[in-house]
Amino acid sequence: MPAKTVHQQLLLPYRDENNITIRYVAAPGFHPSHSALASSTGYDSDFEPLIASDDLDEDDLMHFTATGRPVPQFKGSALASLGGHMYTAPQLLPKRYTDDSIIPAIITGVIPSENKGKDKAEGSKKRGILGKLKGKKEKEGAGKSENGVLKVVFMPRREYQKFFARDLKGIYIGSEPFRRWKEEELEELYGRYRPKKLGRRGFMSPV
């Protein structure tokens, strides 16, 4: 007797934008026809998922991560689940991001601010022995500053994909022509998206 083929709808779990809600979505390119399956089995509910999935279109699935890459497939580890000790890394589901999500973007080749250079020059006068030695090293490497500095800037994902997106090899793939940015420009455009710093909390007495 031939083995019966079992059809299953592949659902991918993920964390929603609030980082709390767990949702499910059908894998890209995997949308079985319930009517066709029901006609072969005689039961309408045989191949319907027990958990309702979100109706994300193909574009949402192909631009799922913080940098706009396709939705990753979560592969749970039974061994990690059974471990349960302090050295076991948590199995976190992939989180969904949209074009409105605020992400930390790594930007290279940023032109340093001129005011920052003046502040360093004024501060070097008040340095001690270690500060003077550090200042000499900075002068020796002054020629390398032509490549710019590296900055982490918080911004909406749509802005990252327009002006700063790079592929896995580090090649620029933004939708707009490549250009270098000044620190002042980045601060003016995206400074409002920077998260607020949490103040340090001292020791609180249990009494």
Side-chain angles (χ1 to χ4, degrees), residues 113-124:
S113 172
E114 295 180 0
N115 294 332
K116 185 176 293 186
K118 293 179 181 178
D119 294 339
K120 285 185 177 180
E122 293 176 358
S124 62

Side-chain angles (χ1 to χ4, degrees), residues 118-137:
K118 293 179 181 178
D119 294 339
K120 285 185 177 180
E122 293 176 358
S124 62
K125 298 178 181 178
K126 302 179 181 179
R127 289 176 180 175
I129 297 176
L130 294 177
K132 291 179 180 179
L133 292 175
K134 185 178 179 181
K136 289 181 179 180
K137 292 183 178 180

